[in-house]
Amino acid sequence: MLIKNGFITDPASQRSYAGDIRIENGVIQKISADITPAPEEEIIDAAGLTVSPGLIDTHVHFRDPGFTHKENLHTGALAAAKGGFTSVICMANTSPVVDSVPVLNDILQRAQSENIRIYQAASVSHSLKGEDLTDMKALKEAGACGFTDDGIPLKNAAFLYTAMEKAKELGVPVSLHEEDPSFIKNNGVNHGPISDQLGIYGSPSIAEESLVARDCMLALRSGASVVIQHISSGRSVELVRMFKSLGADLHAEATPHHFTLTDEAVLKYGTLAKMNPPLRTEDDRQAIIRGLADGTIDIIATDHAPHSKEEKERSITAAPSGIIGLETSLALGITSLVRPGHLTMLQLLEKMTVNPAKLYGLPSGRIEEGAPADLVLFDPEEKWTPTEYVSMSSNSPFTGWELYGKVKMTICGGKVV
């Protein structure tokens, strides 16, 4: 396969240039200004398109096993490919929980038949109860790429510190969902004027900030690689910035919904704007954008969280939290961050490719000879409107939005997917 006339954008080398890419046996074989096609070679004309490393999402919920009426490995992989993602990391809050080697093996074995690279995180604690540590060594050896009880915070600081020490020893990240439930009366909606209008108390930002402060300190003391997931509060961003400056091996994820929307979206979109942690204020949104711009937040992840239409049609307090995100993520990054001038295209793609690959030790995330041929071709200027999804679920507030940046082709392991 030969990709001709593309605008190659490679955050790993911090270079953007016009060129051709030859792919052989699933690997980038040659990159040059003008490669002459071989007889019978498949040619893809990428004129007018950006060619970047395939996107990597460090935080998705494919709901498999246990909740496959919302999503499964196959439909999740299709949604990922549609959005330009060639690698994803699935969270462990399935049923059964990914807290044992047999459950992990089952998922990884089934994932091999999909056309993208599906990695799996294991849980920190058995049954997500935050009490008994999983056999992290055995799970890592069986293929777990990291550890997280995502969806549920780890309330016991000493327990988490032990887990961090083990993760450091194993050389893998621990990712943390930071919401202290003792502060929260109704999850999914920010506590403030909007929740007051809805007649509920909501989830105040201190629920996140208190755990972020604690866990930044634990990260500093343990030396572990720690990820603050789906950061939502400006004060949390400041905490991560400060502890990074002190030497902590900290990373932070921002979701497209947290850098695009505020809690006012709940009034317009109802349960489609309900998520954990919740959308917060415009000041928080701007602080997240500043954190992305200065590198405090080094990863953009979707927290792709499918739910059925029936579930999301319940009341604001009864509906589950979360939205889908794989098919709109790149476009929201371009629309909300690149076009207004907050980030360059290289900076955006850095947080969606090479940074996630480095953090989790993945082979992809760069365009260089000998690297896996995981690529996405997209038109950053093309306007489009999401109306339907290949995901099994459609719980997104961005349906009907006019977005910039259309994925044209996703290539994983040298195959168009």
Side-chain angles (χ1 to χ4, degrees):
M1 181 190 293
L2 182 62
I3 300 171
K4 293 283 293 178
N5 311 312
F7 185 65
I8 299 168
T9 303
D10 177 40
S13 62
Q14 288 292 300
R15 292 177 63 220
S16 299
Y17 54 94
D20 299 349
I21 300 173
R22 172 167 281 145
I23 297 168
E24 286 181 5
N25 301 317
V27 170
I28 296 171
Q29 190 260 333
K30 187 177 184 185
I31 304 170
S32 187
D34 188 17
I35 301 174
T36 304
E40 317 268 317
E41 186 168 33
E42 180 186 358
I43 298 169
I44 293 167
D45 185 7
L49 301 181
T50 295
V51 182
S52 111
L55 307 180
I56 300 171
D57 194 338
T58 60
H59 190 157
V60 303
H61 298 270
F62 282 178
R63 308 300 192 198
D64 190 347
F67 306 102
T68 50
H69 65 287
K70 306 175 193 245
E71 195 82 283
N72 58 49
L73 290 181
H74 182 61
T75 59
L78 293 175
K82 184 84 182 290
F85 290 90
T86 53
S87 298
V88 298
I89 296 174
C90 293
M91 298 294 97
N93 60 339
T94 50
S95 182
V97 173
V98 188
D99 58 5
S100 69
V101 170
V103 176
L104 176 64
N105 283 342
D106 166 61
I107 295 167
L108 292 178
Q109 194 169 355
R110 290 187 292 115
Q112 286 177 9
S113 62
E114 300 303 333
N115 287 329
I116 65 159
R117 304 179 199 273
I118 299 176
Y119 300 93
Q120 180 66 53
S123 65
V124 177
S125 70
H126 282 288
S127 304
L128 306 178
K129 288 181 178 173
E131 295 167 358
D132 299 311
L133 206 60
T134 54
D135 188 341
M136 294 170 72
K137 185 172 186 286
L139 286 160
K140 161 82 181 342
E141 288 170 353
C145 64
F147 292 89
T148 179
D149 276 15
D150 175 57
I152 298 177
L154 287 159
K155 292 185 279 188
N156 185 321
F159 172 82
L160 175 54
Y161 189 68
T162 301
M164 285 186 187
E165 289 183 313
K166 190 66 182 174
K168 178 173 169 54
E169 184 187 311
L170 295 170
V172 291
V174 174
S175 301
L176 301 172
H177 183 115
E178 305 288 52
E179 281 191 296
D180 184 338
S182 64
F183 288 104
I184 300 168
K185 291 184 182 169
N186 305 100
N187 71 6
V189 179
N190 183 48
H191 172 62
I194 301 301
S195 66
D196 289 346
Q197 280 188 57
L198 297 170
I200 60 177
Y201 182 85
S203 172
S205 61
I206 185 65
E208 174 178 288
E209 295 149 5
S210 58
L211 288 187
V212 170
R214 181 198 74 176
D215 295 344
C216 284
M217 179 57 77
L218 296 180
L220 181 65
R221 291 295 296 265
S222 68
S225 182
V226 171
V227 183
I228 306 299
Q229 295 180 302
H230 40 45
I231 203 161
S232 71
S233 156
R235 286 194 179 99
S236 297
V237 178
E238 291 290 346
L239 285 162
V240 172
R241 186 180 286 119
M242 180 180 77
F243 276 92
K244 272 189 165 185
S245 74
L246 292 173
D249 184 9
L250 277 170
H251 307 267
E253 300 170 351
T255 69
H257 42 277
H258 285 114
F259 63 65
T260 299
L261 299 171
T262 69
D263 55 358
E264 291 190 1
V266 180
L267 298 177
K268 183 171 183 181
Y269 301 106
T271 63
L272 293 179
K274 179 185 180 183
M275 64 275 299
N276 300 340
L279 301 170
R280 301 208 190 272
T281 67
E282 177 63 11
D283 284 347
D284 291 307
R285 189 181 80 86
Q286 290 298 334
I288 288 168
I289 290 172
R290 287 194 299 275
L292 286 161
D294 70 13
T296 298
I297 302 170
D298 50 351
I299 289 171
I300 289 171
T302 63
D303 189 16
H304 178 80
H307 292 293
S308 70
K309 189 168 181 286
E310 295 74 28
E311 288 169 316
K312 277 294 195 180
E313 283 175 347
R314 297 175 193 158
S315 70
I316 193 75
T317 52
S321 293
I323 66 170
I324 59 169
L326 285 163
E327 296 171 61
T328 52
S329 180
L330 177 62
L332 285 165
I334 291 169
T335 305
S336 299
L337 299 175
V338 176
R339 289 182 68 87
H342 302 303
L343 298 184
T344 65
M345 185 65 78
L346 268 174
Q347 286 175 312
L348 175 72
L349 293 172
E350 182 177 47
K351 294 170 197 303
M352 300 181 79
T353 61
V354 64
N355 287 355
K358 277 184 193 166
L359 175 61
Y360 283 93
L362 308 183
S364 9
R366 61 196 194 281
I367 299 180
E368 62 185 40
E369 291 174 4
D374 292 6
L375 303 165
V376 58
L377 283 61
F378 64 93
D379 182 347
E381 300 300 324
E382 183 175 334
K383 282 194 277 192
W384 66 287
T385 302
T387 54
E388 52 189 33
Y389 303 94
V390 297
S391 167
M392 276 173 71
S393 297
S394 58
N395 50 309
S396 170
F398 301 112
T399 305
W401 280 43
E402 186 175 82
L403 301 176
Y404 286 88
K406 188 82 171 78
V407 173
K408 295 297 191 178
M409 184 179 289
T410 305
I411 297 168
C412 186
K415 285 191 240 170
V416 177
V417 295

